[in-house]
Amino acid sequence: YEVPAEAPEVTLLIAAYNEQEIVAEKMANCRALEYPASKLRITWITDGSTARTVELLAAYPDATVLHDARRGGKTAALNRALEHIRTPLVVFTDANTMLNKGAIKEIIRQFSDPRVGCVAGEKRVEIQAEQGATAGEGIYWKYESALKRLDYRLYSTVGAAGELFAIRTSLFEQMPPDTLLDDFILSLRIAMRGYKIAYSKEAYALESASLNMREEEKRKVRISAGGLQSVWRLRGLLNIFRYGILSFQYISHRVLRWTLTPVVLFALLPLNLLLACTGHTLYTVILALQLAFYLLGYLGYKMEKRNIRNKLLFIPYYFLFMNINVIRGYSYLAKHKGTGAWEKAKRGAG
């Protein structure tokens, strides 16, 4: 795909909080993007940063820096940044993710369809042998990306990942500053207005896996809390009579995952025990399979503690790990009510 001469102007908006270690690499990545430099506005929003991020960015004349010393969280920063953007399209990305060269042009191509109001890029997790968390996280995102592609084939992708997505600037709506999943809320609000969220696997953001499972736990608990918050704030989308297939996709793909699924999952074992007591062979076999799955998950947990990488065991371990952290999300949401600032998880070196 070649960028047409009449290509629209685009703002690449990079959210950063104390990212001084990554500034040079990120700017080199931005400059390597296959999109006319005269049409691409590189903008950093660095609110709350106390480190050398702003100072280092001053060395790049092709980068606009929006900075406020106050830290209100990522959502508050994005709300403020969009007040300064004048291009018809804006691409959101994070400072610690690297985009493939054709990412911008592939995303912009999707907007040729007037029904598309948002485009979700693909998130990819870099595999590193020394990180036990990488196996589960990497496999999870491959699965999640496959679901997003299938969702779009059916009707619309259900939400975008903040590492890489774009919107028509005119469709941006200010979000409550304490919003935890700004990408999800923003993209689905656009879908609720009748637009589709397109998915582009040819545009991807590469990110290192969490440094370890403790750091990954921070992310999963916060995301789960954000998911629960989103279910309430997007409650209008539960009306399947109004939103039709989008409601079906949203409920089946997101709402159930963040609400009923973890509770039902962990209730299955005691229920299965009761049923197995009836002596029915089928219930006994299912119980044995459940116990085997939990055993594999436990072995995966023990191997991760010893930093031994085994992809087969990490799958059941990561699955259980994710669902446990959904339940923990309830307490996180109650504890952090009213604030959008959060502690970012440490990631491995890319």
Side-chain angles (χ1 to χ4, degrees), residues 68-86:
D68 190 315
R70 295 167 295 181
R71 187 189 180 198
K74 185 179 179 182
T75 301
L78 293 180
N79 283 340
R80 196 176 74 81
L82 263 293
E83 296 175 355
H84 298 270
I85 292 174
R86 299 293 177 262

Side-chain angles (χ1 to χ4, degrees), residues 41-274:
R41 309 282 182 262
I42 301 171
T43 302
W44 290 67
I45 179 75
T46 59
D47 290 3
S49 293
T50 56
R52 295 182 59 236
T53 306
V54 178
E55 180 185 336
L56 291 171
L57 283 168
Y60 297 92
D62 53 340
T64 298
V65 181
L66 303 174
H67 180 72
D68 190 315
R70 295 167 295 181
R71 187 189 180 198
K74 185 179 179 182
T75 301
L78 293 180
N79 283 340
R80 196 176 74 81
L82 263 293
E83 296 175 355
H84 298 270
I85 292 174
R86 299 293 177 262
T87 57
L89 300 171
V90 56
V91 178
F92 299 86
T93 187
D94 291 335
N96 64 343
T97 59
M98 301 301 146
L99 312 183
N100 63 303
K101 290 183 178 181
I104 303 297
K105 67 178 184 180
E106 291 297 337
I107 281 178
I108 300 313
R109 181 165 68 94
Q110 299 282 354
F111 284 110
S112 61
D113 183 347
R115 297 172 300 174
V116 171
C118 173
V119 179
E122 184 163 289
K123 174 179 175 177
R124 298 183 183 180
V125 176
E126 189 174 13
I127 303 298
Q128 299 177 52
E130 69 273 14
Q131 290 175 259
T134 303
E137 189 180 355
I139 292 168
Y140 166 75
W141 274 105
K142 287 180 181 178
Y143 165 74
E144 186 68 23
S145 295
L147 285 182
K148 288 177 181 291
R149 287 196 295 271
L150 291 171
D151 274 340
Y152 183 45
R153 285 176 61 184
L154 180 61
Y155 174 67
S156 172
T157 298
V158 185
E163 286 78 9
L164 178 59
F165 76 106
I167 67 167
R168 297 185 190 274
T169 309
S170 61
L171 298 179
F172 179 80
E173 293 181 4
Q174 294 274 311
M175 296 170 283
D178 64 343
T179 300
L180 295 172
L181 294 185
D182 53 273
D183 46 8
F184 189 72
I185 290 284
L186 174 55
S187 56
L188 276 181
R189 275 184 173 180
I190 290 173
M192 290 173 72
R193 292 166 66 178
Y195 293 90
K196 291 185 178 183
I197 303 172
Y199 187 77
S200 178
K201 67 177 181 180
E202 290 81 14
Y204 61 86
L206 186 63
E207 183 177 52
S208 296
S210 297
L211 186 63
N212 51 49
M213 291 303 283
R214 184 178 295 276
E215 295 299 319
E216 178 67 357
E217 180 183 314
K218 291 180 186 177
R219 291 183 65 253
K220 282 291 181 281
V221 171
R222 177 179 59 81
I223 290 170
S224 298
L228 292 167
Q229 182 190 66
S230 300
V231 169
W232 174 250
R233 293 188 175 176
L234 296 172
R235 56 192 179 277
L237 193 48
L238 299 175
N239 186 348
I240 199 164
F241 298 104
R242 179 176 179 181
Y243 294 103
I245 195 166
L246 180 63
S247 284
F248 167 75
Q249 291 179 296
Y250 170 62
I251 294 168
S252 61
H253 189 173
R254 296 298 186 183
V255 176
L256 292 179
R257 178 190 295 184
W258 286 327
T259 55
L260 291 180
T261 299
V263 177
V264 172
L265 172 69
F266 294 114
L268 283 177
L269 187 58
L271 288 173
N272 201 170
L273 280 168
L274 290 174

